[in-house]
Amino acid sequence: IARPLYFLNLLFFLFDYCSNCSSYYWFILLQIKKISMTPKEVVKTWIAAFNRIDIEALTDLYSEDAVNHQVITDPLVGKAAIKKMFTDEFARAEMVCIEDNIFEDGEWVILEWKDPRGLRGCVFFKVQNDKIVFQRGYWDQLSFYKQQNIPF
């Protein structure tokens, strides 16, 4: 029993200090780990779910009364509203989140992201008890609409 635990701890250590690890590997490790996550781990799990277009997994990362405020729209309050937003947005656009930089300070995580088409943005997450309680995103909606051929 001690040998497998040593191996898992070694894996966790390596991935915790690997800044270039794929978000998908973070997701797998956290599924194995099944313990409390750091806010940064929650956001890395969010990135993995976002890129898989896994709306259920994304929604599960939010608290029941979470607020998601993309600065180009009014704030959304609650899991149901956030789930509807992801459902609607993934239905009309191809979206990918590539981590550019990620910073953690207590309950806060700042994610700088880009996509394969050159769009860039920044998201602030407040995480408490392994759940996102607040999210604010900054990105250029006009550039996004033009790239996706969405009328504006």
Side-chain angles (χ1 to χ4, degrees), residues 46 55-68 75-88 128-135:
W46 183 93
I55 295 168
E56 292 301 322
L58 274 170
T59 306
D60 286 344
L61 291 170
Y62 291 88
S63 68
E64 289 299 324
D65 58 349
V67 174
N68 184 317
L76 300 173
V77 180
K79 264 187 174 182
I82 293 168
K83 182 177 185 175
K84 182 180 180 333
M85 176 202 61
F86 282 123
T87 301
D88 294 346
Q128 295 174 335
N129 301 317
D130 297 342
K131 298 291 183 186
I132 298 165
V133 296
F134 181 81
Q135 176 181 349

Side-chain angles (χ1 to χ4, degrees), residues 44 75 110:
K44 285 186 172 280
I110 303 166

